[in-house]
Amino acid sequence: MMGNFIKTILNLFFKPDCPLCDRPAEKQLCVYCQKQILRCQFPRGSQFLGEVPVLIWGQYKGMLKQAIVTLKYNNHPEIAQPLGYWLADAWLKTPTVQNKPLLVVPIPMFPEKQKKRGFNQAELLARSFCQVTGLPLKSQGLERVRDTQAQFGLSAQQRQENLKDAFCLGKDLRRQTQTHSILIVDDIYTTGATVKAAIAAFREHKIAVAGVVAIATTKSISEQ
């Protein structure tokens, strides 16, 4: 607590260092790293068409990959703010924007894992996303009720089995008559197994999912 207070006081007099390169930064990231991240952006966002449209901001590589890894594993939650802003900007500029009412729901972490990390990166991205779009955020619209192993290294079939029955409707959406559709927010989109499991949990309660947005994907544009 005292350490955070001292850091706040020091930041009043000294520019904080960029968490990605240690250069002085006016905001969360220095100008150089921001430019490097923007180079990873897909042209106008990348849309993976399917039963539910998925909008991806950029390729999981280079400085964007470094930013996400630093955010999640090096305790730099502030990086989520510019990433969420850029994701929102791309979403507002695409035809996926719909006039019907939407609620934004982030993919949740298992409670013990979130407690250990200190935050859920998808929720932080969603908060920044909602600040720009003006859409209402339901941070606990979905709950992860079963701990799952890391998806990295699993086949598409193994990922689906790993996430089976991992989610249920969260307290923010229980006992409510839903007139809004859901927009799911996640950090990284790979095979789509995570969002498919989340969509299944909503559909059990007859709640429609309008789309999914994520900051990065391991896929390339040619794989759409």
Side-chain angles (χ1 to χ4, degrees), residues 160-177:
Q160 290 185 19
E161 289 297 323
N162 187 40
L163 287 160
K164 186 177 180 181
D165 299 324
F167 301 109
C168 74
L169 198 66
K171 65 180 183 180
D172 282 354
L173 298 180
R174 292 175 194 154
R175 301 175 184 173
Q176 294 184 20
T177 301

Side-chain angles (χ1 to χ4, degrees), residues 12 19 28 31 34 40 43 51 60 69 81 84 87 109-110 121 124 129 141-142 150 161 170 180-181 184 191 193 215:
L12 295 175
Q28 295 86 1
V31 173
Q34 289 184 55
C40 301
E51 188 176 357
Y60 186 65
V69 169
Q81 188 170 50
L87 180 59
M109 294 178 67
F110 191 66
Q121 68 279 353
L124 297 182
F129 181 89
L142 197 65
E161 289 297 323
H180 292 60
S181 295
I184 296 173
T191 65
I215 193 64

Side-chain angles (χ1 to χ4, degrees), residues 38-112:
L38 289 170
R39 289 182 178 180
C40 301
Q41 182 180 9
F42 289 129
R44 298 184 179 180
S46 180
Q47 298 182 59
F48 293 82
L49 302 177
E51 188 176 357
V52 173
V54 181
L55 174 69
I56 311 293
W57 185 84
Q59 184 79 42
Y60 186 65
K61 65 177 184 179
M63 193 60 79
L64 178 57
K65 179 178 180 179
Q66 182 180 337
I68 295 171
V69 169
T70 302
L71 159 65
K72 294 168 66 173
Y73 304 116
N74 294 345
N75 194 30
H76 282 284
E78 71 276 11
I79 295 176
Q81 188 170 50
L83 296 181
Y85 286 175
W86 291 329
L87 180 59
D89 183 66
W91 188 80
L92 290 170
K93 292 177 179 177
T94 65
T96 58
V97 178
Q98 303 180 34
N99 293 324
K100 60 183 179 181
L102 295 174
L103 297 175
V104 175
V105 177
I107 291 292
M109 294 178 67
F110 191 66
E112 290 184 5

Side-chain angles (χ1 to χ4, degrees), residues 135-146:
L135 294 174
L137 173 65
K138 296 296 181 180
S139 295
Q140 299 184 57
L142 197 65
E143 291 182 11
R144 191 181 290 251
V145 293
R146 185 170 64 80

Side-chain angles (χ1 to χ4, degrees), residues 186-200:
D186 203 2
D187 58 341
I188 303 172
Y189 182 89
T190 49
T191 65
T194 300
V195 296
K196 286 178 183 177
I199 291 169

